Structure formats: structure tokens, C-alpha cells
Amino acid sequence: KLKADFIFLQETHIRKSQPWVFKSPKFGIQVLSCGNSHSRGTAIVISKNTNFKLIETKLDSSGRYVILNGSIAGEMLTLASIYAPNTSQIDFLDHTLEDIHHFAKGEIIIGGDLNAVLDPYMDRSGKPLNLPSQRQNPPPKQGLAEILEKYNLTDFTPNRQ
């Protein structure tokens, strides 16, 4: 009902040996990156109505990202779905965004679960950050803003500006 053109999925939990299970006649291009176990996994699903022409793909062997280069109406576009680990997020993001930067052709659109927040009050739902495990390993704010700036990325969270 949302009529999405692009869907960025994380935590698909699909093994390489399993068939792709997201079937819909509304979507033409479906690219999946699986992890080695029944965890992780990312995917990008594209509506048939977008006229997206897929040129090349880059998949992470651990199932942490899918990157697609393609075009719409002759304009180059790079799409990336990222699922960052629960620890060492900033290092992972720096490395992954560097990969995207070198692979990209044209404008870049990234969707994903970065397991990091810029503002713990705006960007989190549910329990506050006061559980013992979260105090020992809080979501990284330090460094995330710098990584976004380094790669000239903008967070399009509503009401952030």
C-alpha cells in the first residue's frame, strides 16, 4: 500500500542454501547478501515501476551490505543497504562507506541499520539507555557525525534540521 520504489532490508536471516522468500509481482529487481549463519543478511528490492536499470552489484560475503549501481532515465545512481554489527560500528562504517565511495557511480542512497545514533533521545525507541549491558557498550554517538561528514552524507530523519 505504501507504493515504495526502493526497499532496503536488514536482518533478513536467510542462509545461502535457502531460496529467496520475498516474492511479489510488484517488484522486479531483488538482490540479497546472505551471511554464513542464520543471522545477518541485507537486501534491496526495487519496484518494477521505477525503470531502474541494474548495471552491477557488490555483495558483502558476511551479509552486511548490498550495493547496486544502476540508472534511472539515464542518470547514474548507487543504492546501498547496510547492516552494521553491534560493536565497532564506526570502524565498520568507515570501511564500508569507503567501499561504497569507490564503487559508486552517480548519486548515492543508503538505507540501513547502522546500530548507532546521532541523538539518543530522538533516534531510539523503547527502553532508555540505562540497562547494565547498554552502559558498558553504549551506542556510539562519538564518531558517527564525523563519519557522515567525511563521506558528505546527510541524515534525512524528519525534524532533525
Side-chain angles (χ1 to χ4, degrees):
K1 291 184 178 184
L2 295 177
K3 299 181 183 178
D5 291 322
F6 305 107
I7 300 175
F8 299 85
L9 300 170
Q10 298 80 41
E11 295 191 70
T12 58
H13 297 271
I14 297 172
R15 295 181 187 158
K16 291 178 183 179
S17 61
Q18 290 177 301
W20 176 243
V21 295
F22 188 80
K23 300 290 184 191
S24 171
K26 295 179 183 178
F27 300 102
I29 299 171
Q30 301 180 25
V31 181
L32 173 71
S33 175
C34 300
N36 292 327
S37 65
H38 196 63
S39 65
R40 301 180 192 143
T42 54
I44 299 176
V45 181
I46 303 174
S47 168
K48 287 181 180 179
N49 298 328
T50 64
N51 295 319
F52 183 83
K53 308 282 190 255
L54 181 61
I55 296 171
E56 59 186 332
T57 64
K58 183 171 184 169
L59 307 177
D60 177 51
S61 61
S62 299
R64 293 285 180 189
Y65 63 78
V66 171
I67 310 170
L68 307 179
N69 280 332
S71 67
I72 297 178
E75 295 293 323
M76 294 302 296
L77 182 65
T78 297
L79 306 173
S81 180
I82 300 174
Y83 177 45
N86 293 325
T87 60
S88 303
Q89 296 93 330
I90 300 304
D91 291 337
F92 168 83
L93 288 172
D94 194 23
H95 176 75
T96 301
L97 293 172
E98 185 72 23
D99 282 352
I100 292 170
H101 175 75
H102 289 297
F103 185 75
K105 293 178 174 52
E107 297 295 321
I108 300 171
I109 300 174
I110 298 172
D113 181 351
L114 305 183
N115 276 314
V117 298
L118 285 170
D119 182 336
Y121 297 103
M122 177 183 281
D123 297 335
R124 287 188 51 89
S125 62
K127 296 179 182 178
L129 293 173
N130 62 3
L131 300 174
S133 64
Q134 291 171 321
R135 281 196 300 266
Q136 294 167 4
N137 234 346
K141 176 182 178 184
Q142 192 72 11
L144 181 58
E146 290 83 0
I147 290 291
L148 295 178
E149 184 177 331
K150 177 180 177 179
Y151 293 99
N152 197 26
L153 298 174
T154 302
D155 179 6
F156 283 104
T157 302
N159 301 319
R160 182 157 327 268
Q161 282 88 22

